[in-house]
Amino acid sequence: MDFIFSAIIVLGVIALIAAVGLYAAAKKFYVEEDPRIAQVNEALPGANCGGCGFPGCSAMAEALVKGADNGSIEDLRCPVGGAKVMSQVADLLGMAVAESEPMVAVVRCSGCPEHRPEVAHYDGLRTCAAMNLCSTGESACGYGCLGCGDCVAACSFHAISINPETHLPEVDEDRCTACGACVKQCPRHIIELRKKGPKGRRVVVSCVNKDKGAAARKACSAACIGCSKCEKECKFGAITISDNLSYIDWQKCRLCKKCVAACPTGAIKAVNFPVPKPVAEQPETATKQPEPAVTVKKEEQA
């Protein structure tokens, strides 16, 4: 029994010494945290999506406080909270924040089976990353969507789904927070963040194929062929051709849709525009023949 009591006493003394040492070390190396960090972190949505460019909301909060101390937080944005949350954060930090345009994820591929038929069968790990490493995919286009849904798995907000008919991802704009997770996950870089546009309306080149016109058209009938017709049609300098591919600068685009009509393959899409009403056919009316002129002869006076 004496041996047991001695062991308990020894362990107790060791634990006490260790506790005192830890307490002294904590006091010596304690770093006081700015209380504003906790306040800003509380105002942030807590999604920890990484869309702001930081690992989580706590890191974003630290960056915001540091930015406020340096005089500006204009380059920092929370895509999930949007303008409302950033306004609250600005009030906490006594800063002014510029209103930013709402953004949305845009899928730049129209390669459904109708336009891009299957030429091979992939038998392996069913992810876009694995398929992209192994081959060009199951179609002849080495640039378009692979349809395995890596972007769907990356989205924390259930804003993307794969259409079972087109095999292409579709974005639910009401759920999309423009966090950019799907953009980073796509190995073909067919998803990008663009300005949502007034009433959600946008004009987008729905293709990323950089092959020359004939090869691109052979791989997909809806591919951009770099013909420059859209570039010539645009009066605002919003369209440029690079590497055989057309691109629309959303900051310059005026949504006139003239490029949509000019595109010979339908690669340019007008999104969320109202469907034009069909022009009613005018009923054919019988053409009236002009009545022959009647000449009245004056009676000769006797």
Side-chain angles (χ1 to χ4, degrees), residues 64-86:
L64 284 165
V65 172
K66 185 177 180 180
D69 291 340
N70 292 331
S72 176
I73 59 172
E74 291 183 1
D75 296 333
L76 300 172
R77 184 179 71 92
C78 174
V80 178
K84 182 179 179 181
V85 167
M86 290 306 298

Side-chain angles (χ1 to χ4, degrees), residues 116-123 126 131 135-140 146:
R116 189 181 55 166
E118 183 177 303
V119 297
H121 178 71
Y122 172 77
D123 187 12
R126 202 72 187 177
M131 187 183 292
S135 65
T136 59
E138 296 179 322
S139 74
L146 294 165

Side-chain angles (χ1 to χ4, degrees), residues 2-3 14 16 22 27 56 81 89-90 122 127 132 136 150 167 183 192 198 207 224 244 253 272 299:
D2 293 340
F3 177 77
I14 294 174
L16 180 62
L22 289 173
K27 283 291 186 180
V89 170
Y122 172 77
T127 67
N132 187 56
T136 59
D150 288 20
H167 304 165
V183 178
E192 69 171 352
C207 181
C224 173
N244 308 308
C253 179
N272 294 330
E299 296 181 359

Side-chain angles (χ1 to χ4, degrees), residues 277-296:
K277 295 180 180 180
V279 179
E281 295 183 1
Q282 297 294 332
E284 294 183 2
T285 56
T287 305
K288 292 183 179 182
Q289 298 294 332
E291 296 181 359
V294 179
T295 57
V296 179

Side-chain angles (χ1 to χ4, degrees), residues 75-300:
D75 296 333
L76 300 172
R77 184 179 71 92
C78 174
V80 178
K84 182 179 179 181
V85 167
M86 290 306 298
S87 178
Q88 294 175 357
V89 170
D91 290 340
L92 287 172
L93 298 176
M95 302 290 293
V97 59
E99 292 187 8
S100 58
E101 292 275 4
M103 306 289 281
V104 68
V106 174
V107 179
R108 294 184 58 211
C109 181
S110 298
C112 61
E114 178 185 355
H115 300 303
R116 189 181 55 166
E118 183 177 303
V119 297
H121 178 71
Y122 172 77
D123 187 12
L125 182 62
R126 202 72 187 177
T127 67
C128 297
M131 187 183 292
N132 187 56
L133 287 173
C134 293
S135 65
T136 59
E138 296 179 322
S139 74
C141 179
Y143 295 89
C145 177
L146 294 165
C148 295
D150 288 20
C151 53
V152 177
C155 182
S156 303
F157 307 97
H158 309 290
I160 305 182
S161 59
I162 299 293
N163 186 309
E165 295 183 1
T166 64
H167 304 165
L168 295 172
E170 294 182 347
V171 178
D172 185 338
E173 297 185 11
D174 293 330
R175 292 185 175 183
C176 180
T177 61
C179 68
C182 57
V183 178
K184 297 174 184 176
Q185 198 66 23
C186 180
R188 293 281 178 90
H189 309 293
I190 68 163
I191 305 178
E192 69 171 352
L193 297 181
R194 294 179 73 93
K195 183 176 71 171
K196 199 168 186 177
K199 297 183 180 180
R201 297 174 185 174
R202 300 176 299 280
V203 179
V204 183
V205 179
S206 189
C207 181
V208 293
N209 194 324
K210 296 181 179 179
D211 289 335
K212 290 185 178 180
R217 188 68 182 269
K218 185 178 180 180
C220 178
S221 60
C224 173
I225 56 176
C227 65
S228 301
K229 288 185 178 180
C230 55
E231 183 181 28
K232 294 174 183 176
E233 191 69 31
C234 182
K235 307 301 181 185
F236 308 104
I239 303 179
T240 53
I241 306 293
S242 177
D243 295 329
N244 308 308
L245 182 64
S246 174
Y247 184 79
I248 298 176
D249 185 345
W250 54 265
Q251 294 180 316
K252 296 180 180 179
C253 179
R254 296 296 180 266
L255 306 177
C256 68
K257 298 195 297 180
K258 290 183 178 180
C259 56
V260 179
C263 181
T265 64
I268 303 180
K269 306 293 184 184
V271 183
N272 294 330
F273 283 84
V275 178
K277 295 180 180 180
V279 179
E281 295 183 1
Q282 297 294 332
E284 294 183 2
T285 56
T287 305
K288 292 183 179 182
Q289 298 294 332
E291 296 181 359
V294 179
T295 57
V296 179
K297 293 182 179 180
K298 292 183 178 181
E299 296 181 359
E300 295 180 356

